């Protein structure tokens, strides 16, 4: 958008910005294996779901909103709404409570969810409602359920969805408990970081269901075998999300990165291992293991949920390197 942007009709400007975002997502290769998602991103207007958002500034956050009386500020809001970047959408007492995820990462996760026509999907973390709208565009309203703990978030998401023309089921509740009254689900996708895999999800899934969730700065993709068993590996993609909130969330122990050997402090893959094994493996021991095993990438790690325990592992679920999840 150039200098003439202020003279352009807002809807035309939004269409241009959305088309630019779609091209940027396409260049990232996010939906190479399932280009049907391109149509969803072309049609669903992100700016409807972020009527305002916050930009970090010295000492706090600055609110940017679409009803600002200054036309230049409105233009800035619209351009930001279609940037391929995460947006802070709800801040409480200086703490980020909810956000709209980076669109190219959303596209990657939706592709990796591997939905099929007719699949019922549960989304953990309603956020602005944008991701639920993309799912509803692909699958239809009746097959999409989204849940969030905060009634203000779910009410706003429901409102945004209605304005955009979508009406999936929006539930206020603890996402770690799932939504049993809407089960069974063929897919569960979380848009908030977990510390473990909630066991309540498995009985709400049909055999062969897929769970995709952020955990320890990565994305774990699990296949559900039955109501008590699931297993899968991490994707290569790094991911950072707002933590899951709710009564059933376990608090992770501190990673104690201050004790990490100096030469490893900035290495993303090592920090992933420390986060994955927090509380069960000393960072110095983790560094020795990481070096000894050839600085393993995320895809070499996985998670198994069994009848009595859940654990993370390197290379083999029954191998020598395994760590309990909370």
């Amino acid at each position: 958008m150039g200098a003439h942007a202020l003279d352009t009709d807002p809807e035309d400007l939004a269409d241009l910005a959305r088309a630019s975002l779609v091209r940027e997502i396409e260049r990232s290769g996010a939906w190479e294996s399932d280009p049907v998602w391109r149509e969803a991103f072309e049609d669903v207007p992100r700016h409807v779901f972020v009527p305002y958002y916050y930009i970090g500034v010295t000492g706090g956050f600055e609110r940017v909103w679409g009803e600002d009386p200054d036309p230049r500020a409105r233009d800035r809001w619209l351009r930001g709404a279609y940037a391929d970047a995460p947006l802070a959408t709800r801040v409480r007492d200086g703490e980020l409570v909810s956000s709209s995820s980076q669109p190219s990462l959303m596209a990657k996760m939706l592709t990796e969810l591997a939905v099929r026509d007719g699949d019922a999907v549960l989304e953990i973390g309603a956020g602005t409602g944008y991701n639920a709208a993309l799912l509803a565009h692909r699958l239809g309203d009746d097959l999409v359920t989204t849940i969030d703990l905060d009634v203000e978030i779910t009410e706003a998401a429901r409102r945004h969805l209605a304005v955009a023309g979508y009406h999936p089921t929006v539930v206020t509740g603890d996402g770690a408990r799932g939504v049993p009254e809407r089960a069974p689900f063929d897919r569960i996708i979380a848009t908030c970081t977990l510390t473990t895999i909630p066991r309540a999800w498995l009985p709400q899934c049909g055999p062969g269901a897929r769970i995709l969730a952020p955990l320890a700065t990565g994305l774990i993709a699990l296949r559900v075998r039955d109501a008590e068993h699931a297993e899968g590996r991490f994707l290569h993609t790094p991911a950072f999300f707002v933590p899951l909130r709710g009564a059933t969330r376990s608090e992770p122990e501190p990673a104690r990165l201050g004790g990490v050997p100096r030469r490893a402090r900035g290495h993303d893959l090592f920090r992933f291992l420390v986060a994955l094994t927090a509380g069960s493996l000393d960072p110095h021991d983790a560094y020795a293991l990481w070096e000894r095993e050839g600085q393993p990438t995320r895809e070499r790690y996985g998670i198994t949920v069994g009848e009595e325990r859940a654990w993370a592992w390197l290379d083999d679920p029954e191998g020598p390197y395994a760590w309990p999840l909370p």
Side-chain angles (χ1 to χ4, degrees), residues 2-186:
H4 66 285
L6 296 178
D7 300 324
T8 305
D9 179 88
E11 287 304 314
D12 292 341
L13 203 57
D15 290 344
L16 290 170
R18 188 157 64 253
S20 177
L21 174 61
V22 168
R23 289 193 296 270
E24 189 166 354
I25 296 173
E26 187 155 47
R27 285 193 296 270
S28 76
W31 51 49
E32 282 181 345
S33 62
D34 192 356
V36 176
W37 284 111
R38 178 190 175 105
E39 182 182 331
F41 280 87
E42 285 176 333
D43 290 351
V44 178
R46 191 189 191 201
H47 70 281
V48 168
F49 295 87
V50 286
Y52 61 85
Y53 52 87
Y54 297 89
I55 297 175
V57 295
T58 303
F61 293 90
E62 176 189 355
R63 186 173 184 258
V64 182
W65 63 307
E67 299 298 323
D68 196 297
D70 183 350
R72 294 184 182 277
R74 294 197 300 272
D75 177 64
R76 179 189 181 204
W77 160 78
L78 187 59
R79 285 187 285 111
Y82 285 103
D84 186 26
L87 299 173
T89 56
R90 196 168 293 269
V91 176
R92 185 177 298 149
D93 298 327
E95 179 183 353
L96 178 62
V97 175
S98 185
S99 65
S100 179
S101 304
Q102 181 177 4
S104 58
L105 178 57
M106 295 172 68
K108 174 68 174 176
M109 291 177 67
L110 289 169
T111 300
E112 292 289 348
L113 194 60
V115 297
R116 306 156 300 186
D117 291 345
D119 278 348
V121 177
L122 171 62
E123 178 193 30
I124 310 296
T128 66
Y130 181 48
N131 199 60
L134 294 166
L135 285 163
H137 185 283
R138 173 73 184 267
L139 298 169
D141 290 341
D142 293 344
L143 292 173
V144 178
T145 303
T146 185
I147 182 172
D148 207 290
L149 184 67
D150 194 320
V151 66
E152 293 182 1
I153 291 176
T154 52
E155 286 181 352
R158 194 178 290 111
R159 200 162 54 242
H160 301 156
L161 284 157
V163 171
Y166 299 98
H167 302 276
T169 298
V170 181
V171 177
T172 303
D174 186 348
R177 294 192 171 99
V179 186
E181 64 271 23
R182 293 278 294 170
F185 299 105
D186 302 292

Side-chain angles (χ1 to χ4, degrees), residues 284-301:
H284 287 80
D285 294 334
Y287 184 70
L289 183 158
W290 185 69
E291 286 277 87
R292 185 169 62 249
E293 292 301 315
Q295 301 185 0
T297 56
R298 286 179 176 83
E299 305 98 298
R300 288 178 59 186
Y301 297 91

